[in-house]
Amino acid sequence: MNTNRHYPATRTTRLLLFVPWASEAGATSLSSAQSSTTIALVICAIVVLALGLALHREQRRRKVIEEALDASKIQQQALINTMVDAVIIIDDHGTIQNFNPAAESLFGYAASEVIGENIRMLMPEPHHSAHDGYLAQYRKTGVRRVLGRRSEVEARRHDGSIFPIELAVTDMKIHGQHLFSGLLRDITERRKVDRLKDEFIATVSHELRTPLTAIRGSLGLINGGAAGELPVQSAALIRLAHDNSERLLMLVDDLLDMEQLGSGRMEFRFDELALMPVIEEAVTENAAIAKKHAVQCIITRHPDEVWVRADYQRLLQVLGNLLSNACKFSPRDSTVEISIARREDRIRINIRDQGPGIAEELRLRLFMKFVQGDTGNTRQTGGTGLGLCISKAIMERHGGEIGFTPAADTGTIFYLEIAEVGATSGNK
Amino acid sequence: MSNNELQRILFIEDEADIQAVAQVALEAVGGFTVKICSSGEEALQAGEAFAPQLILSDVMMPGMDGPATLLALRQLPTLADTPAIFMTAKVQPQEVAQLRTAGAMAVIAKPFDPMTLAQQIKDVWRQHHA
């Protein structure tokens, strides 16, 4: 009996101790089948325990991640809620998902009034009617209208009033859902300041030009002999005064151009136009400066017919700037060569002078404001130091390029590059 | 002298100094006969009697500006079709387009070169009558 009672107790002990092979006198009496079952049970128990442990660890890991995500969501929402700029998040059908407090105060709606509604409600025409179409087009083609850039548009408040905003839109994908996040800023005040600035510039321009017109006009008439012959010394002084009044006028023009380019208010009228007549006109307009410096401007080679998309007057301005610079820096009785060549789908205009070249220390700053090739006390060429900076900005608006390279022997080659358009598509 | 040759110009400009320069540029250099008016109102009173072949007008003037003056002059039967040129500070292409819409056949930029002003006007006149 004792043995019978003892047997299961011994087996239980072995199981609990996980040492079935421990040397014990009674164990040797177990059959091999019993031994295999015991081992299988033990292995199962180990696997179950290991799985349980792994599951527990995974649950803990998930919990930590979820807590971190929750914290991140809370932080993000707090960030959105405290932003000075309005933030609106919509899905790819235009349904508002998020509307921060700045947006609430900007539009006069509570978030609860707009979340779930279509973003159209915040837009006046024409975007009010067209916005669904923009989104549908984006879903279909991926063509971006406002994504990734800043734009200025109009928005509509709860009370129906319309106001200007600056808008930056970015997109994101969360769990396969396409969302768009818009950052909006009221620019009513900025527009008012811009208007005042415009008026100020117009006034200053007019007020500076009126006396300058009279000064330059009077000096020009005397200089041209309209008021009779002058003694040699007086004539030299009048010429000096006349030249300087022209320089002052150029400075006013350049400053106005700079201001307009800087503020993006310079108007451009792009047409498809034949390039050669523009270059010929620039050479003709520059004839007086070339004559003054005893320099000859010649067009050495050009393709038969070249068409570009450009603003005629602005391109003329850039060419005039490069030609007058080339003449000013050329030695007397030298030649300024203009050549035009195709470079794949672009046109390159080279203007080569035989001047002293660009000083090493000026090369990196040449297209910056108020940089002049001829500095120091002996400066002889005149100019405002804005010409190349303006030319660069104008060429950028043309999607073109301006630059220079030292000529092989002496002088400098300034070049312009601009895209060529189909020769047969032009109409001017 | 053919009937088409430009001789008589009605010049409207509020600035006395510019008037003086333009008078020499147009009369002494260009050989024109010029009637100077200091305002749109003065041009309306004296314009018809002078019977100009061309109206040359500043744009920014106190009271009636250039386009308003031209509009009013066009109401006078004898000046209804008289060609007009505006003179104004360097302007944007859109503004030039507006001045042309207002009835100008050309826009001359200020400040003008007094030695070539007369020739510029003659060129515009010739193109207009070509």
Side-chain angles (χ1 to χ4, degrees):
Chain A
M1 285 297 288
N2 274 348
T3 305
N4 283 343
R5 272 200 305 273
H6 178 72
Y7 168 68
T10 304
R11 195 173 63 171
T12 308
T13 309
R14 274 192 304 217
L15 280 172
L16 285 172
L17 290 173
F18 300 112
V19 280
W21 50 86
S23 173
E24 192 179 315
T28 52
S29 64
L30 290 172
S31 70
S32 65
Q34 280 175 323
S35 175
S36 297
T37 308
T38 307
I39 289 167
L41 281 169
V42 168
I43 290 171
C44 279
I46 291 170
V47 169
V48 166
L49 272 170
L51 282 174
L53 204 63
L55 197 65
H56 178 67
R57 278 192 187 143
E58 178 59 19
Q59 279 171 343
R60 276 192 60 188
R61 198 178 67 85
R62 280 194 181 178
K63 201 176 170 198
V64 169
I65 291 172
E66 274 168 16
E67 278 172 3
L69 278 174
D70 283 349
S72 171
K73 263 187 194 169
I74 290 165
Q75 280 173 9
Q76 278 177 15
Q77 193 58 50
L79 194 68
I80 289 172
N81 287 351
T82 51
M83 276 181 79
V84 178
D85 291 319
V87 176
I88 302 174
I89 297 174
I90 60 168
D91 65 16
D92 59 359
H93 286 84
T95 309
I96 299 172
Q97 309 277 328
N98 203 329
F99 198 78
N100 78 341
E104 288 181 319
S105 72
L106 186 63
F107 285 92
Y109 281 106
S112 56
E113 291 177 279
V114 294
I115 287 175
E117 299 294 327
N118 193 291
I119 188 79
R120 280 193 316 262
M121 68 190 290
L122 307 174
M123 298 174 181
E125 294 296 354
H127 299 304
H128 180 81
S129 302
H131 193 258
D132 282 353
Y134 302 155
L135 286 171
Q137 184 75 4
Y138 178 72
R139 287 195 303 269
K140 196 171 153 193
T141 63
V143 174
R144 299 168 162 226
R145 276 181 57 88
V146 293
L147 277 177
R149 64 183 175 86
R150 285 170 185 273
S151 51
E152 291 185 7
V153 291
E154 286 185 322
R156 186 166 60 189
R157 293 192 189 88
H158 192 192
D159 63 8
S161 58
I162 291 166
F163 63 106
I165 56 164
E166 187 180 18
L167 171 71
V169 183
T170 186
D171 62 337
M172 54 195 151
K173 236 175 186 171
I174 296 176
H175 303 313
Q177 192 188 12
H178 213 145
L179 297 175
F180 300 90
S181 166
L183 199 77
L184 301 83
R185 188 175 293 173
D186 186 348
I187 53 168
T188 309
E189 282 306 310
R190 193 207 293 171
R191 286 269 173 95
K192 269 188 205 160
V193 173
D194 281 352
R195 248 196 320 275
L196 281 174
K197 201 170 155 194
D198 277 350
E199 284 167 11
F200 174 74
I201 286 164
T203 307
V204 168
S205 159
H206 185 250
E207 294 308 316
L208 280 173
R209 277 159 184 282
T210 303
L212 269 173
T213 303
I215 294 167
R216 197 190 79 153
S218 303
L219 294 169
L221 286 169
I222 300 169
N223 204 22
E229 282 293 307
L230 283 180
V232 177
Q233 257 188 335
S234 305
L237 289 170
I238 290 292
R239 206 162 35 247
L240 190 137
H242 180 248
D243 288 353
N244 277 281
S245 68
E246 290 208 323
R247 204 170 139 193
L248 200 55
L249 209 60
M250 243 158 51
L251 184 62
V252 172
D253 283 349
D254 283 356
L255 285 172
L256 284 170
D257 279 352
M258 277 310 304
E259 197 284 326
Q260 285 177 336
L261 277 164
S263 61
R265 276 195 297 270
M266 182 178 275
E267 281 179 37
F268 283 81
R269 227 177 82 178
F270 289 102
D271 288 310
E272 285 183 12
L273 43 95
L275 179 63
M276 288 318 295
V278 193
I279 293 176
E280 281 156 12
E281 171 80 18
V283 172
T284 306
E285 283 191 359
N286 191 58
I289 295 171
K291 192 179 166 194
K292 186 177 164 187
H293 292 86
V295 173
Q296 207 187 355
C297 294
I298 49 169
I299 299 171
T300 54
R301 71 189 167 90
H302 63 88
D304 282 343
E305 199 178 359
V306 181
W307 290 78
V308 293
R309 185 165 172 73
D311 179 314
Y312 186 92
Q313 287 301 331
R314 297 297 174 196
L315 188 57
L316 196 63
Q317 184 178 349
V318 174
L319 287 163
N321 177 244
L322 293 187
L323 283 174
S324 65
N325 281 349
C327 290
K328 282 182 205 167
F329 288 97
S330 287
R332 294 182 73 81
D333 302 319
S334 66
T335 306
V336 168
E337 291 176 358
I338 304 139
S339 60
I340 298 96
R342 277 199 176 89
R343 282 189 156 200
E344 294 175 357
D345 58 345
R346 287 171 86 79
I347 294 296
R348 188 175 174 115
I349 307 159
N350 284 325
I351 296 176
R352 178 183 180 156
D353 65 55
Q354 293 172 30
I358 311 290
E360 189 74 40
E361 67 269 20
L362 280 181
R363 289 184 186 173
L364 288 176
R365 313 188 281 126
L366 202 61
F367 291 94
M368 290 161 81
K369 283 179 200 171
F370 299 110
V371 172
Q372 293 184 308
D374 183 8
T375 52
N377 295 332
T378 57
R379 199 153 68 82
Q380 293 172 344
T381 52
T384 62
L386 289 169
L388 284 176
C389 180
I390 292 168
S391 294
K392 184 169 186 279
I394 291 175
M395 288 313 292
E396 280 169 0
R397 286 289 296 270
H398 280 78
E401 201 184 314
I402 185 170
F404 67 92
T405 54
D409 38 14
T410 179
T412 307
I413 300 168
F414 273 85
Y415 63 85
L416 301 177
E417 273 198 14
I418 188 167
E420 183 178 17
V421 294
T424 51
S425 62
N427 54 12
K428 185 173 175 179
Chain B
M1 191 201 306
S2 78
N3 283 340
N4 249 350
E5 194 173 334
L6 177 61
Q7 197 63 56
R8 300 170 70 78
I9 300 176
L10 177 68
F11 180 49
I12 312 161
E13 164 68 60
D14 61 313
E15 292 282 341
D17 293 348
I18 311 279
Q19 288 177 5
V21 173
Q23 188 163 20
V24 178
L26 297 172
E27 290 184 346
V29 180
F32 300 123
T33 305
V34 180
K35 166 74 185 169
I36 297 175
C37 295
S38 298
S39 66
E41 289 80 0
E42 193 183 327
L44 283 171
Q45 283 175 5
E48 270 196 307
F50 180 65
Q53 292 165 283
L54 176 79
I55 298 163
L56 180 64
S57 176
D58 186 21
V59 173
M60 283 174 74
M61 293 187 288
M64 292 171 77
D65 66 7
T69 302
L70 184 60
L71 195 69
L73 288 171
R74 291 268 182 261
Q75 307 304 313
L76 305 173
T78 55
L79 300 179
D81 300 314
T82 309
I85 296 175
F86 280 122
M87 290 174 82
T88 185
K90 190 179 171 188
V91 285
Q92 300 262 6
Q94 199 187 336
E95 292 168 276
V96 173
Q98 280 169 1
L99 291 174
R100 283 179 176 275
T101 312
M105 62 175 177
V107 177
I108 291 177
K110 265 185 177 179
F112 53 85
D113 177 354
M115 295 306 292
T116 58
L117 176 66
Q119 192 55 50
Q120 248 181 303
I121 291 172
K122 282 175 186 167
D123 289 346
V124 173
W125 181 261
R126 202 170 298 123
Q127 281 169 14
H128 183 71
H129 288 87

